[in-house]
């Protein structure tokens, strides 16, 4: 049995989120939480919140034991890109892409 949690439209690029995601994949929930608390990345705070949400889903919706949970699957995919304009010299305008991410986190019970 597995429980999922989704984080959509996170205003951090998927490339930056992927660094944090790779740190917790396959770890048990307690270890993953400790890693996220000590990681000085902007994506670690929303990922910690998402992990807590997945654990709560597992506990409340599927009656899983929190002590046996581990992060079985976690990935970040690109969301919509917010396109902005930056004024440049001689009246030109350069495009600035503000990227967003959709993150999926799945926790499962160890057998």
């Amino acid at each position: 049995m597995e429980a999922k949690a989704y984080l959509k439209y996170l205003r951090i690029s998927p490339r930056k989120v992927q660094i944090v995601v790779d740190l917790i994949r396959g770890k048990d929930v307690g270890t993953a939480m400790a890693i996220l608390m000590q990681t000085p990345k902007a994506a670690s705070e929303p990922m910690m919140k998402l992990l807590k949400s997945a654990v709560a889903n597992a506990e409340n919706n599927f009656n899983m034991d929190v002590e046996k949970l581990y992060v079985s699957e976690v990935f970040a995919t690109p969301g919509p890109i917010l396109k902005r304009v930056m004024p440049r010299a001689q009246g030109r305008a350069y495009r600035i892409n503000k990227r967003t991410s959709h993150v999926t986190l799945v926790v499962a019970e160890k057998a």
Side-chain angles (χ1 to χ4, degrees):
M1 193 55 122
E2 56 186 30
K4 295 181 180 180
Y6 302 98
L7 174 57
K8 293 190 162 192
Y9 306 105
L10 176 64
R11 252 301 285 125
I12 303 173
S13 76
R15 187 173 174 174
K16 292 177 183 176
V17 175
Q18 198 65 47
I19 295 167
V20 177
V21 160
D22 290 340
L23 292 174
I24 63 168
R25 189 178 291 115
K27 305 281 194 300
D28 65 89
V29 171
T31 307
M33 193 64 73
I35 289 169
L36 289 174
M37 282 183 189
Q38 297 299 318
T39 305
K41 293 278 187 188
S44 61
E45 196 171 324
M47 289 304 300
M48 197 180 330
K49 199 171 176 181
L50 184 65
L51 181 59
K52 286 179 184 176
S53 176
V55 170
N57 289 343
E59 189 176 13
N60 296 316
N61 300 342
F62 301 106
N63 297 318
M64 293 186 198
D65 184 15
V66 179
E67 299 300 318
K68 293 181 183 176
L69 291 178
Y70 74 102
V71 180
S72 64
E73 196 178 343
V74 59
F75 54 90
T77 56
I81 298 170
L82 306 174
K83 294 172 176 83
R84 300 294 180 258
V85 173
M86 170 80 82
R88 304 301 291 179
Q90 299 178 1
R92 290 185 177 89
Y94 283 4
R95 176 173 280 168
I96 302 294
N97 291 329
K98 298 197 175 271
R99 298 181 187 277
T100 60
S101 303
H102 297 323
V103 186
T104 303
L105 194 142
V106 181
V107 292
E109 262 185 334
K110 283 196 171 156

